[in-house]
Amino acid sequence: MALTRAEREQFLAEPHVAALSVDAEDGRAPLTVPIWYQYAPGGDLWIMTGLDSRKNRLIGAAGRFSLMVDRVEPTIRYVSVEGPVVGTAPATIELLREISARYLPAGKVEGYVDFAWKAHGEQVVVRMRPERWVSSDLGSV
């Protein structure tokens, strides 16, 4: 059964690891990779990735991407969202801290942020406006 708008937005706002997909070069399947993201109901979502990464280059060329998140308990549920890129900006340590806190235990955030800020190279934040949604709750099987 499809989710209501409020249900799908709330589900997307939970800290799931997403599968990001973006159109790839000619002769290649879409690039699909796991990624952390940030989203609040009714707003745009954002990801952080390497400025020089293949993912960022492909997103820039395509101008849009999709994310899919799912779970298997207590019911089988998924939300897929696709939309245009509405902004790109250099990452900040504050945004790195925000997204890290979404996924990591509180005691691990600062250590990870310190490591990632130094080791991952220049990062960029890419914002996407959710435009098309596909969602379902299949119940418990």
Side-chain angles (χ1 to χ4, degrees):
M1 172 165 285
L3 303 176
T4 66
R5 179 181 179 152
E7 289 171 330
R8 71 186 187 208
E9 287 185 346
Q10 182 56 46
F11 187 72
L12 189 61
E14 296 170 4
H16 305 281
V17 174
L20 177 145
S21 289
V22 62
D23 193 28
E25 301 91 356
D26 287 342
R28 302 270 314 256
L31 174 69
T32 303
V33 294
I35 196 162
W36 290 354
Y37 69 96
Q38 181 64 288
Y39 175 75
D44 295 336
L45 66 80
W46 60 268
I47 61 164
M48 186 177 295
T49 190
L51 178 64
D52 297 324
S53 68
R54 179 173 180 238
K55 179 177 16 194
N56 190 46
R57 286 192 318 274
L58 292 173
I59 290 170
R64 61 191 313 110
F65 63 94
S66 64
L67 290 182
M68 191 281 298
V69 298
D70 66 340
R71 71 166 192 219
V72 295
E73 290 186 11
T75 61
I76 299 171
R77 178 177 278 198
Y78 73 89
V79 169
S80 178
V81 63
E82 178 239 332
V85 172
V86 294
T88 303
T92 64
I93 199 162
E94 292 80 14
L95 289 174
L96 177 58
R97 188 173 290 112
E98 177 184 330
I99 203 163
S100 299
R102 178 172 162 85
Y103 290 95
L104 299 174
K108 302 284 186 180
V109 171
E110 287 306 317
Y112 175 78
V113 167
D114 184 55
F115 162 77
W117 192 251
K118 294 173 183 171
H120 289 171
E122 194 169 354
Q123 300 285 300
V124 63
V125 171
V126 181
R127 296 185 184 277
M128 181 254 275
R129 176 156 302 124
E131 187 176 78
R132 292 188 180 92
W133 297 75
V134 179
S135 64
S136 184
D137 192 317
L138 305 174
S140 58
V141 178

